Amino acid sequence: MDELLRRWQRGWGLCRGLSPAEDRSTALEVTLGLPERDRELFAFPSSEFGALITETVQATRPTWLTITTHEPDVVDERLRYAGLTVFAERKLLMTCDLTNHPRPALPAQYELESATDGAVYRVKLLDRQGAIAARGMMAVVGGDAVMHDIHTDPAHRRRGLASVVMGELARMAVERRAISGILMATIDGGYLYAKLGWSSEATMLTATTPSRAA
């Protein structure tokens, strides 16, 4: 699971335009440089994270701590007991064999556009007025394609557009010899991805100090 977290973070970092993470013995340290999220610590699932909790509590710069686990309720209780604020929204770390990924047809009233920037690929669906109805992106790193920022405009939901975006990203990934899909999903998003063949590997919880909670 540690290596899966590393693989996901590499692609996620590329999608966000971040510098490479510092690979510490117990976590990946990522600098984001945001006012309320200057850095984030991604704990390795195989490591004891007590010291990371203490580091987050005592941090002098806005710090988030994300724990990837198969025991989210236990971890949640431990983080809260230490005085951290746990974000209500839990995430899922998910994987997929992209060679079998569904590729739904694009509805007639939409137009698909794609763009490439190095290892990062973007897909967007435009409505007849040229507005973005849905979008998504991925970073291809070796045999992995890490999906990120899959979004459908509220006015265009329940039309299968996110599935079209995912299918097009999967197609592009396979063309570039990536066969493994990885993403971090919201719980609601996880239901959609599961229908497309994605599997949940673990739950991701994020916490920060109370004064810095969003």
Side-chain angles (χ1 to χ4, degrees), residues 11-18 32 34 37 120 137 148:
W12 176 81
L14 285 172
C15 285
R16 295 185 61 108
L18 303 175
L32 293 100
L34 301 173
R37 189 185 182 187
V120 177
M137 64 190 301
H148 179 64

Side-chain angles (χ1 to χ4, degrees), residues 127-142:
D127 65 15
R128 288 174 175 170
Q129 286 70 48
I132 298 176
R135 69 171 188 266
M137 64 190 301
M138 69 177 177
V140 175
V141 185

Side-chain angles (χ1 to χ4, degrees), residues 80-102:
R80 294 179 191 276
Y81 182 79
L84 295 176
T85 294
V86 181
F87 296 117
E89 185 176 55
R90 296 180 178 184
K91 303 293 181 63
L92 300 174
L93 183 62
M94 305 186 76
T95 62
C96 182
D97 178 355
L98 296 177
T99 60
N100 297 318
H101 199 287

Side-chain angles (χ1 to χ4, degrees), residues 135-166:
R135 69 171 188 266
M137 64 190 301
M138 69 177 177
V140 175
V141 185
D144 295 326
V146 179
M147 313 298 186
H148 179 64
D149 194 28
I150 311 300
H151 176 76
T152 302
D153 184 272
H156 297 271
R157 289 177 181 169
R158 300 188 181 278
R159 301 178 188 179
L161 300 187
S163 296
V164 174
V165 169
M166 291 294 291

Side-chain angles (χ1 to χ4, degrees), residues 15-38:
C15 285
R16 295 185 61 108
L18 303 175
S19 298
E22 178 185 348
D23 197 330
R24 295 165 44 172
S25 60
T26 58
L28 295 170
E29 180 174 346
V30 179
T31 299
L32 293 100
L34 301 173
E36 297 299 323
R37 189 185 182 187
D38 187 55

